[in-house]
Amino acid sequence: MSLLSLEQVSVAYDNRLILEDFNLSLAKGQLLSLLGPSGCGKTTTLRLIAGFLNAEAGAFMFGGKDYTKVPVEKRNFGFVFQSYALFPHLSVFDNVAFGLRLRKLKEAEVKKRVTRMLEIVSLGGFEKRLPAALSGGQRQRVAIARALVIEPDLLLFDEPLSNLDANLRVNMRVEIRRIQQELGITTVYVSHDQEECFSISDQVAVMNNGKIEQLDKPSAIFKYPASEFVARFIGFGNFIAFDGRNDMGSDIELSRGALKFQAAKRPEGLGNTGLLGAIRPDDLQLFGEPGAAGIDGNTLPGTVQISTYLGRSYQYQVETELGVFTVNQEMEQPFVQGQRVTVYFPKEKLVLVQ
Amino acid sequence: MKEGNRVLSLYTLLVFIFLLGPLVIISITSFEPGTVLKFPPEGFSLKWYRNIFEVSAFMDTFKTSIIISLLGNLLALLLGVPAAYALSRYRFRGRDTLNAIFLSPVLIPGIVLGFTLLRYLIVVYGLPIVAGLLIGHTVIMLPFIIRVIASSLENFDFAVEEAAQSLGASRLYTFFKIVLPNIRSGILAAILIAFLESFNNVDISVFMTGPGISTLPIQMLTYVQNYFDPTIAAISVILMVLTAALMFVIERLMGFAYFTKR
Amino acid sequence: MNKKALYLLLPGLLFLAAFMLVPITLTIASTFVQDGKLTLEGYLHFFRDGYFNRILLTTLRVSVVTTLVCMLLGYPAAYYISRASARKKSILLALSIFPLLTSPVVRSFSWMIILGKKGLINSFLVNIGLIDKPLDILYTPVAMMIGLVHLFLPLIIITLLGVMENLDHELVRAARSLGASPFAAFRKITFPLTVPGLIIGGILVFVGSLTAYTTPALLGGKERVVSTFLYQNAMTLNDWQAASVIAVIMIVITFVVVGLMNAWANRLNPKG
């Protein structure tokens, strides 16, 4: 049974449809990420769920009730904003207590709950500070505490980490995941950062142009993107458009003109159609001479065009008869510009997308 | 370049002497003991300051000016705060046009506005002169109220408002408990700037005089055209002190950046 | 349009419509009607009349000179302020804003003390024996002009200061590093980038002078400008038709000048 579901929802902004016949559902206790480039509709979806936007058509069901017309302030959802949106004129304590006081709790109870929540986000002792006197990470934690203290039925995050620096971002996402799991709270999380989404989510929905391109467990999306868009978005930098395929047992034989390639079939239930091959720069391998180390098939001869140093590995642009491929490879002695090489496409890494 | 700097600073000094010199002179002449304005004065006396309080026309028009400016201010706030909020908060088609309409009273020559208000408000609509005066002052205060408040809303993150609503606050509660406290100094500054604009106004008020009704600037104007004693100089000093005080408060509230922004 | 926004804007809009847009529109319309017929007679009558043309010319002349003098005095002063130390800058800014907020009656009156027959300048000149009879300065176009420059100088200084503050000082440093002398850097970088501000300040001064009432009323004596002429027609002569025609002429000149100069400033604005 899903706790939340969007059914055939359409949202327009300035007479432009952002979402059209959009569907989404989420089970209790899960953390779902909406991932996609800016303008893909992920924030619109989140703001619709929160109640900041109204649907032109369709329904938003929550816990078996129709929430489509329920105003924001009656939803009891916690929202964590990209800009944190702390009340600048209120202290940390009053920020967190805001929602509780609106719920007419006794002041003693307010104090107890706020204090406990500030402990959870490790901000004990900061009660009297104003938001302006906090660091970015501390503000973020106040924002989370403020959203959590009302014991929301749903927690919503809008790019909460994008204003933090890299190290803090990693710590905070672990923190968010920990709190979410401890409290078992159903969560929708929006980000354009794939690593962030994959690391904390039970489910990831990759969005493009107001549609969900793929919704699955992070590991499934990471390995087996469903479409070219998803593949590109999550870092499959190389593509080969095949013109024929022949499924044989656990493998697929692919052809492009006279060239033959082999790819491994996907596990059951992960889709298996398409003629476009995709592979990550990290998964390609380069060899200095043809026919090295027992490899036969799935190779292309090429010439190194450009070599750049990435720190852990070198990155090469290799020109072949099927176009230019990007390859990342760790090695002591890098290939030089103009060197003839062989590009190897391991069959279990070559995936077919639509 | 040192030479150039010295010339430039001397030039600037002269510009400021031109700008402020007359105000200094007016202040000094206000202490003239004789009956005719002179510079330098022939002695020191406060009698013309006393005269202000003895001429009932000054006291009466001063009261009228204060009442009109305060009431007009209140009216302009009631109309202007929601408008400034809507113009800052929402993005919609026609927003720039509406913004221009709200700021247009400053574009229309004051004397033209004053005349048309006299012709239509008083003569055609048949409103009493006091009402015409109040409405006219509200019209000219509105752009200042809207501009200053909108500029303080520019720095306001409206996500804060959404945060309050997601925590269970109604729109009205959010406005009074979250938005208003955060633009309080902007609103106070808007009130003071609009007050000065209205209090010093001549162009509208000059058409809105009637039996027992006139504002202080108009009374001063009339007085100057008939008498040349230092009473007006004394009033000028009082007005300048008031202006300086309000300016100081405005600076405390929002700095001077508002004035240089266009 | 957003419904919530509309409700919030509506009271103000209705107020302005009733008490500004409608009266002004009706005033404009009324000038084209005489004895129930559509006509331009109201305007033709005016422009045939040498008296009005003279007043219009005086007004334009005074406004043009006022604008040029304000630019000439204001630009260097604003430039100096913009480059001054923070402390000096805030003091000079305060000293520029103070006159702006001070009553125009007070400011014009101060020039009556200075320019009058027994005023500061005349007594000084007579005392040192340069002249034996006081000069007629007060109640002339020159007095109006001095008063108007005094009235609007702070406005142009503050406007220019706004533009100069926004100017990226790195640009001047970049020009200097490329070999420009300080003067060349000013002429090739600072000046062109601040010209739009100078034009906008100029518009404000020109339109302000063109329509100012208090200063000409106090310092102009019998010398009329359009605004005092409008007042005279409306309040002394009770000729509402004439006053309306003048009002419309003032509106038209204001909007044409503002429109043209704004377009010019935008075209000159190198940032597009």
Side-chain angles (χ1 to χ4, degrees):
Chain A
M1 233 308 262
S2 59
L3 174 74
L4 168 164
S5 66
L6 293 174
E7 294 162 8
Q8 299 290 321
V9 167
S10 297
V11 177
Y13 194 75
D14 268 350
N15 295 326
R16 206 164 55 86
L17 273 177
I18 309 286
L19 297 179
E20 195 175 1
D21 299 336
F22 186 85
N23 293 292
L24 178 72
S25 64
L26 181 62
K28 197 167 165 47
Q30 295 261 298
L31 193 158
L32 167 77
S33 285
L34 303 174
L35 171 66
S38 63
C40 71
K42 57 188 193 296
T43 298
T44 302
T45 308
L46 191 76
R47 294 173 62 78
L48 176 84
I49 294 172
F52 297 136
L53 288 173
N54 294 323
E56 306 272 304
F60 166 43
M61 306 296 291
F62 188 82
K65 289 197 206 78
D66 186 352
Y67 263 52
T68 318
K69 294 261 187 296
V70 175
V72 194
E73 65 266 26
K74 301 263 176 343
R75 291 196 180 190
N76 198 37
F77 293 170
F79 199 109
V80 180
F81 294 82
Q82 184 172 12
S83 62
Y84 318 137
L86 300 182
F87 307 130
H89 60 303
L90 299 181
S91 67
V92 168
F93 184 91
D94 289 337
N95 260 279
V96 178
F98 187 85
L100 295 177
R101 287 181 178 147
L102 277 165
R103 281 159 182 71
K104 307 263 186 283
L105 262 65
K106 292 231 170 57
E107 202 50 35
E109 180 67 17
V110 169
K111 187 161 189 334
K112 204 178 93 194
R113 290 208 204 171
V114 170
T115 309
R116 198 187 126 242
M117 191 49 71
L118 286 175
E119 290 302 329
I120 291 181
V121 297
S122 337
L123 275 178
F126 286 82
E127 287 83 354
K128 293 219 172 70
R129 296 256 194 120
L130 282 177
L134 298 178
S135 71
Q138 291 168 336
R139 284 179 212 182
Q140 178 63 82
R141 278 179 282 165
V142 177
I144 294 172
R146 186 178 67 177
L148 281 173
V149 80
I150 60 170
E151 296 175 0
D153 299 324
L154 181 68
L155 191 55
L156 305 168
F157 286 93
D158 184 13
E159 308 241 12
L161 306 182
S162 61
N163 288 336
L164 298 178
D165 61 44
N167 284 333
L168 205 51
R169 211 148 51 206
V170 174
N171 293 340
M172 278 308 298
R173 76 186 189 212
V174 173
E175 195 78 344
I176 288 176
R177 182 60 163 166
R178 177 181 67 79
I179 295 170
Q180 185 263 335
Q181 289 194 323
E182 253 176 46
L183 303 176
I185 183 162
T186 318
T187 301
V188 182
Y189 188 102
V190 158
S191 175
H192 63 270
D193 181 332
Q194 51 147 323
E195 190 187 311
E196 192 177 309
C197 286
F198 285 0
S199 63
I200 63 170
S201 307
D202 298 302
Q203 298 269 313
V204 174
V206 183
M207 290 184 66
N208 181 34
N209 278 331
K211 297 228 163 358
I212 293 178
E213 294 257 343
Q214 189 172 8
L215 183 123
D216 215 324
K217 289 202 293 281
S219 58
I221 294 179
F222 190 80
K223 263 196 184 144
Y224 301 109
S227 66
E228 182 187 353
F229 173 83
V230 177
R232 278 191 197 282
F233 195 75
I234 62 174
F236 284 73
N238 302 299
F239 292 87
I240 307 173
F242 295 109
D243 45 31
R245 68 179 272 176
N246 185 12
D247 293 30
M248 305 183 311
S250 63
D251 285 353
I252 308 169
E253 194 179 87
L254 296 152
S255 57
R256 163 85 179 250
L259 294 169
K260 300 277 184 219
F261 284 87
Q262 294 219 316
K265 264 194 185 160
R266 295 182 178 206
E268 211 57 43
L270 283 169
N272 222 343
T273 54
L275 271 179
L276 187 66
I279 189 161
R280 293 175 186 274
D282 282 340
D283 294 334
L284 284 173
Q285 291 171 27
L286 289 185
F287 295 97
E289 61 269 10
I295 292 163
D296 65 321
N298 274 16
T299 60
L300 266 181
T303 313
V304 174
Q305 271 185 335
I306 303 163
S307 149
T308 51
Y309 182 54
L310 299 184
R312 226 178 66 199
S313 60
Y314 285 88
Q315 183 169 74
Y316 302 99
Q317 305 290 327
V318 183
E319 189 169 20
T320 71
E321 63 177 298
L322 293 183
V324 176
F325 290 92
T326 305
V327 185
N328 296 345
Q329 189 152 315
E330 276 181 65
M331 54 204 303
E332 289 299 316
Q333 280 291 311
F335 296 120
V336 294
Q337 195 184 335
Q339 190 168 344
R340 303 280 304 159
V341 291
T342 298
V343 188
Y344 171 55
F345 300 77
K347 71 174 183 188
E348 64 281 5
K349 304 286 191 189
L350 183 62
V351 299
L352 289 170
V353 298
Q354 304 238 334
Chain B
M1 202 49 200
K2 272 262 130 42
E3 199 61 24
N5 273 340
R6 207 168 307 142
V7 172
L8 191 59
S9 66
L10 188 67
Y11 192 90
T12 308
L13 181 69
L14 291 175
V15 165
F16 276 93
I17 288 177
F18 169 74
L19 217 48
L20 302 170
L23 303 179
V24 174
I25 288 170
I26 215 178
S27 312
I28 295 174
T29 52
S30 70
F31 300 110
E32 167 70 46
T35 52
V36 179
L37 267 170
K38 259 188 232 89
F39 188 88
E42 284 170 347
F44 178 89
S45 148
L46 289 174
K47 71 192 240 201
W48 299 107
Y49 286 86
R50 260 196 312 277
N51 191 41
I52 302 171
F53 298 95
E54 279 155 14
V55 178
S56 68
F58 286 124
M59 294 317 288
D60 293 346
T61 52
F62 176 74
K63 264 184 231 145
T64 310
S65 276
I66 292 277
I67 291 170
I68 290 293
S69 297
L70 291 180
L71 270 184
N73 220 317
L74 188 67
L75 217 53
L77 280 175
L78 287 176
L79 299 167
V81 172
Y85 173 81
L87 290 169
S88 312
R89 171 76 173 83
Y90 300 107
R91 295 282 166 271
F92 49 86
R93 233 166 351 119
R95 183 173 153 270
D96 289 345
T97 314
L98 283 169
N99 200 34
I101 291 177
F102 276 110
L103 300 184
S104 66
V106 286
L107 267 185
I108 293 177
I111 202 84
V112 170
L113 192 60
F115 166 65
T116 54
L117 290 182
L118 168 69
R119 183 167 172 187
Y120 287 94
L121 262 55
I122 310 298
V123 178
V124 177
Y125 296 177
L127 294 173
I129 290 176
V130 181
L133 194 59
L134 178 63
I135 290 170
H137 278 245
T138 308
V139 170
I140 56 156
M141 276 190 261
L142 203 49
F144 290 94
I145 295 278
I146 289 182
R147 201 157 66 183
V148 178
I149 294 178
S151 97
S152 77
L153 278 170
E154 247 170 51
N155 305 322
F156 183 74
D157 177 10
F158 284 103
V160 167
E161 204 187 33
E162 292 181 336
Q165 280 164 23
S166 76
L167 293 167
S170 69
R171 296 196 136 266
L172 219 56
Y173 185 89
T174 306
F175 182 79
F176 284 103
K177 292 285 181 177
I178 300 296
V179 182
L180 223 45
N182 281 298
I183 58 167
R184 208 184 54 205
S185 56
I187 290 183
L188 287 174
I191 290 173
L192 297 182
I193 289 171
F195 176 84
L196 281 170
E197 203 58 40
S198 156
F199 191 82
N200 290 334
N201 178 276
V202 169
D203 296 1
I204 307 282
S205 309
V206 79
F207 289 100
M208 305 282 176
T209 55
I213 303 164
S214 189
T215 62
L216 182 61
I218 304 305
Q219 173 61 29
M220 289 165 71
L221 214 55
T222 322
Y223 193 87
V224 166
Q225 280 159 353
N226 298 314
Y227 309 92
F228 205 62
D229 66 40
T231 313
I232 298 296
I235 298 181
S236 297
V237 172
I238 293 177
L239 290 185
M240 284 192 281
V241 170
L242 177 80
T243 305
L246 292 189
M247 187 177 96
F248 178 76
V249 179
I250 292 169
E251 202 276 333
R252 288 287 100 162
L253 288 168
M254 63 187 295
F256 285 142
Y258 161 76
F259 294 97
T260 56
K261 199 170 60 182
R262 212 156 281 281
Chain C
M1 190 175 137
N2 191 316
K3 234 188 225 135
K4 285 175 213 144
L6 184 66
Y7 291 144
L8 294 170
L9 291 165
L10 211 52
L13 276 179
L14 290 177
F15 186 85
L16 285 184
F19 301 126
M20 186 185 79
L21 298 178
V22 169
I24 287 195
T25 313
L26 290 178
T27 302
I28 294 175
S30 75
T31 60
F32 295 104
V33 181
Q34 239 169 40
D35 306 325
K37 280 200 294 282
L38 264 175
T39 170
L40 285 175
E41 195 42 46
Y43 293 90
L44 295 175
H45 171 75
F46 250 91
F47 288 111
R48 275 199 298 262
D49 177 10
Y51 184 54
F52 177 70
N53 283 340
R54 231 176 15 253
I55 290 174
L56 189 58
L57 213 66
T58 307
T59 313
L60 287 173
R61 223 172 44 217
V62 167
S63 304
V64 168
V65 176
T66 300
T67 308
L68 292 179
V69 174
C70 276
M71 286 175 164
L72 230 53
L73 293 179
Y75 191 92
Y79 184 70
Y80 178 81
I81 299 172
S82 78
R83 316 239 323 188
S85 64
R87 195 181 145 67
K88 216 185 221 172
K89 193 184 286 180
S90 59
I91 292 174
L92 291 176
L93 184 58
L95 291 180
S96 313
I97 291 171
F98 174 67
L100 198 68
L101 297 176
T102 301
S103 161
V105 177
V106 171
R107 289 204 280 157
S108 299
F109 176 66
S110 68
W111 286 100
M112 294 178 77
I113 305 176
I114 297 168
L115 302 176
K117 279 233 160 58
K118 292 188 182 122
L120 187 59
I121 290 184
N122 273 323
S123 15
F124 178 70
L125 291 179
V126 171
N127 275 347
I128 62 166
L130 209 62
I131 49 171
D132 35 55
K133 232 172 53 189
L135 298 171
D136 282 320
I137 314 175
L138 190 60
Y139 307 134
T140 65
V142 174
M144 278 195 244
M145 203 207 70
I146 294 174
L148 288 171
V149 169
H150 188 241
L151 196 64
F152 291 116
L153 190 53
L155 194 61
I156 200 166
I157 290 179
I158 286 163
T159 306
L160 281 167
L161 208 51
V163 176
M164 288 171 181
E165 292 285 281
N166 279 338
L167 196 75
D168 186 355
H169 285 296
E170 294 288 321
L171 293 177
V172 174
R173 275 180 218 128
R176 300 272 281 128
S177 78
L178 294 167
S181 68
F183 182 68
F186 171 79
R187 201 165 50 88
K188 303 243 181 204
I189 308 294
T190 311
F191 187 68
L193 285 172
T194 48
V195 159
L198 194 57
I199 294 174
I200 293 189
I203 300 176
L204 294 173
V205 174
F206 184 74
V207 170
S209 314
L210 208 61
T211 59
Y213 172 79
T214 312
T215 305
L218 280 178
L219 304 180
K222 290 201 174 58
E223 198 71 51
R224 294 262 168 275
V225 290
V226 281
S227 57
T228 49
F229 191 50
L230 189 160
Y231 179 79
Q232 187 190 20
N233 272 284
M235 302 300 275
T236 321
L237 307 174
N238 273 320
D239 185 347
W240 292 45
Q241 181 67 15
S244 302
V245 170
I246 303 167
V248 175
I249 293 174
M250 286 175 82
I251 293 177
V252 170
I253 297 180
T254 305
F255 278 77
V256 167
V257 169
V258 171
L260 285 180
M261 300 285 264
N262 260 331
W264 187 32
N266 281 339
R267 223 185 34 185
L268 279 181
N269 192 341
K271 284 177 231 157

